[in-house]
Amino acid sequence: MFAVLLVGSSCDLVAAERSPAQGSETRQQVENQFREWLAGTVWPEAFKERISRETFDRALGSLTLDWSLPELQPPGQTTPRDDQRQAEFQNPGLYFSESQLTSLAAAGGNLLKQWANALTMIEQRYGVPREIIVAIWGHESHFGRVRPKHQAVRVLATQAFMGRRRTLYYPELLAVLRILEQDQWPEETLLSSWAGAMGQPQLLPSKYLRYAVDADGDGQRDIWRSVPDSLASIANYLHEHGWTPGRSWGVEVQVPAGVPCSLEGPRQGKPVREWAQLGLAHADQTSLPDKNSDAIAFLLMPAGRLGPAFLVSENFYVLKQYNESDLYALFVGHLADRLRGGSSFRATWAPTDPMQRRDIWAMQERLQFQGHDVGKVDGLIGFATRTAIGQWQMRNQRAETCFPDPALIPMIR
């Protein structure tokens, strides 16, 4: 494992396998640099934030790096090729496993009854529907049944020292030290994912400090073992990010062929009545809910014309504050609908051929060069990339799908 993390080619890997002593020596050198970094960089910062020496030593005094984590770039090693550009980009419909949704809806329905009293209190306090709260709980940790296995302090120290995203993790390392200082948790309690997200709601330490709630009144914000604390922390997070009580996240719709799919996205909201005037209807072919409303709604087409379409409210984008992915927010909203007795999507996700992220990345660069706003150039097909594809297709008199396929990618020059 160590050789894979530290070297960049198969030849180097063979050499490393032939020289285990040299590899061990290199690892020890990095561990020594880690100790120096903790003493020279982290402790002065922690001291400024009023972390006691006792807490610092208890958490980090004998800590070693976790070499099993992904996304590591040890000091002195050649920066590895960005493997994310090599991965396949899959059909968005694969995100919505029917068996997973059915399982989560069944289990979540039982838990809605089991925790009804706590959810009523939380719903009244924060204005977030219980189904949304339970849907996030289910998606993040299967209702607390999937327990994190990593120690958050070790994960965050490792990632802050030699992770690819050091600048993200360094503040989180200081935040987890503040948790240990303020809440007096033993560090072995603070379990997390490999990315440092903690407990049943999967909150990063900085989010825990700001949004975690003691809902069961025991004096601790225990998102690891307390269901009420976990549920209330999710609700508080959404409340603080602007959840509007009384508004749904969105609804599946039919989009007429004459309405450009390039109207998608959070920058192109329109009153519901205007969408209705354009011919958008509920997916069951009935009129839109609140079809005469001036409330702003946004078109969402995660697979362009190759999958279901939705009109979403600002609350959908509040869900995206919990996780930046359109598909994540849609999964949560759809699962919440299932918990209310709703059915599966009415439209189908058309099958698409897998595409290499490096090819999508190159396509984004070409579109950007032509003046299109593709959002972040990252090999992922976000709303900005989808609308840019639709605009290019219209300009070049091609069928507007707002989604790439292997044949289209080389055409965009």
Side-chain angles (χ1 to χ4, degrees):
M1 173 60 72
F2 172 65
V4 173
L5 287 169
L6 291 189
V7 296
S9 72
S10 58
C11 294
D12 291 335
L13 178 56
V14 171
E17 288 174 340
R18 291 174 179 170
S19 306
Q22 182 179 2
S24 177
E25 180 182 352
T26 302
R27 178 183 291 203
Q28 187 57 53
Q29 290 173 353
V30 174
E31 291 282 358
N32 293 340
Q33 292 176 45
F34 174 59
R35 302 308 312 170
E36 294 171 0
W37 175 75
L38 289 176
T41 299
V42 182
W43 166 241
E45 289 286 339
F47 180 76
K48 290 179 184 177
E49 299 200 20
R50 301 185 178 182
I51 307 298
S52 69
R53 187 76 208 194
E54 178 184 0
T55 297
F56 186 86
D57 288 343
R58 176 165 57 90
L60 301 172
S62 60
L63 195 72
T64 59
L65 294 164
D66 186 346
W67 294 85
S68 71
L69 299 177
E71 298 189 357
L72 299 183
Q73 292 180 346
Q77 302 300 320
T78 302
T79 300
R81 183 177 58 191
D82 186 356
D83 292 334
Q84 291 300 315
R85 293 189 66 170
Q86 310 308 316
E88 284 187 347
F89 182 87
Q90 300 288 343
N91 186 331
L94 297 177
Y95 195 89
F96 302 93
S97 163
E98 184 59 31
S99 60
Q100 183 187 22
L101 283 162
T102 300
S103 173
L104 289 173
N110 293 330
L111 291 167
L112 282 170
K113 298 173 184 176
Q114 179 180 345
W115 296 101
N117 291 337
L119 286 164
T120 295
M121 177 195 70
I122 292 167
E123 200 173 47
Q124 290 173 347
R125 180 173 181 182
Y126 298 106
V128 181
R130 64 189 64 201
E131 295 86 0
I132 290 288
I133 299 168
V134 170
I136 290 178
W137 183 31
H139 196 19
E140 291 293 345
S141 65
H142 208 287
F143 314 111
R145 297 170 186 172
V146 177
R147 298 187 180 276
K149 299 178 181 179
H150 297 276
Q151 289 190 359
V153 176
R154 191 180 187 206
V155 165
L156 294 166
T158 301
Q159 294 287 8
F161 176 67
M162 62 177 187
R164 294 190 188 186
R165 296 180 289 170
R166 294 172 177 81
T167 56
L168 167 67
Y169 285 109
Y170 185 71
E172 297 300 337
L173 173 60
L174 296 175
V176 81
L177 292 175
R178 288 200 298 274
I179 294 172
L180 294 172
E181 181 77 20
Q182 296 173 13
D183 292 77
Q184 296 299 307
W185 289 107
E187 55 268 22
E188 60 267 19
T189 300
L190 273 61
L191 297 179
S192 76
S193 69
W194 69 263
M198 304 186 306
Q200 297 184 38
Q202 288 290 276
L203 298 177
L204 286 169
S206 62
K207 307 303 182 186
Y208 172 93
L209 288 169
R210 185 167 180 180
Y211 303 112
V213 173
D214 173 21
D216 57 18
D218 67 353
Q220 294 181 313
R221 301 181 292 173
D222 188 352
I223 61 172
W224 295 270
R225 296 168 298 193
S226 170
V227 170
D229 289 4
S230 298
L231 298 177
S233 298
I234 292 169
N236 186 41
Y237 189 104
L238 298 179
H239 170 76
E240 290 296 317
H241 282 85
W243 184 274
T244 302
R247 290 209 69 187
S248 76
W249 69 270
V251 63
E252 187 180 354
V253 296
Q254 291 184 344
V255 180
V259 176
C261 52
S262 55
L263 290 178
E264 184 196 0
R267 305 169 187 167
Q268 303 186 84
K270 301 178 185 293
V272 174
R273 58 178 173 78
E274 291 190 15
W275 290 114
Q277 290 167 2
L278 287 172
L280 271 69
H282 194 282
D284 64 6
Q285 300 183 339
T286 60
S287 298
L288 290 176
D290 304 320
K291 67 175 183 178
N292 296 317
S293 172
D294 286 330
I296 301 299
F298 309 86
L299 184 61
L300 172 71
M301 302 180 74
R305 294 197 182 276
L306 305 180
F310 308 86
L311 270 188
V312 301
S313 71
E314 292 90 343
N315 282 342
F316 175 84
Y317 294 102
V318 174
L319 292 177
K320 283 193 65 175
Q321 294 294 321
Y322 209 95
N323 183 302
E324 294 181 2
S325 165
D326 282 344
L327 298 181
Y328 175 93
L330 180 57
F331 188 101
V332 167
H334 181 64
L335 178 56
D337 289 347
R338 294 273 192 112
L339 292 171
R340 298 186 186 96
S343 60
S344 60
F345 298 122
R346 290 184 175 270
T348 59
W349 301 88
T352 60
D353 294 329
M355 292 168 279
Q356 295 292 318
R357 281 187 62 178
R358 64 168 176 260
D359 296 331
I360 298 171
W361 194 304
M363 178 198 67
Q364 289 173 322
E365 291 177 331
R366 292 193 294 267
L367 285 169
Q368 191 176 66
F369 179 77
Q370 295 177 24
H372 294 283
D373 179 5
V374 298
K376 184 178 180 180
V377 176
D378 55 7
L380 298 175
I381 307 170
F383 77 88
T385 296
R386 294 193 295 267
T387 58
I389 291 170
Q391 292 164 358
W392 182 92
Q393 289 170 325
M394 291 184 67
R395 182 182 300 174
N396 289 272
Q397 299 182 334
R398 296 184 178 275
E400 183 200 36
T401 65
C402 294
F403 204 80
D405 59 61
L408 177 66
I409 289 175
M411 296 181 188
I412 300 178
R413 297 292 182 186

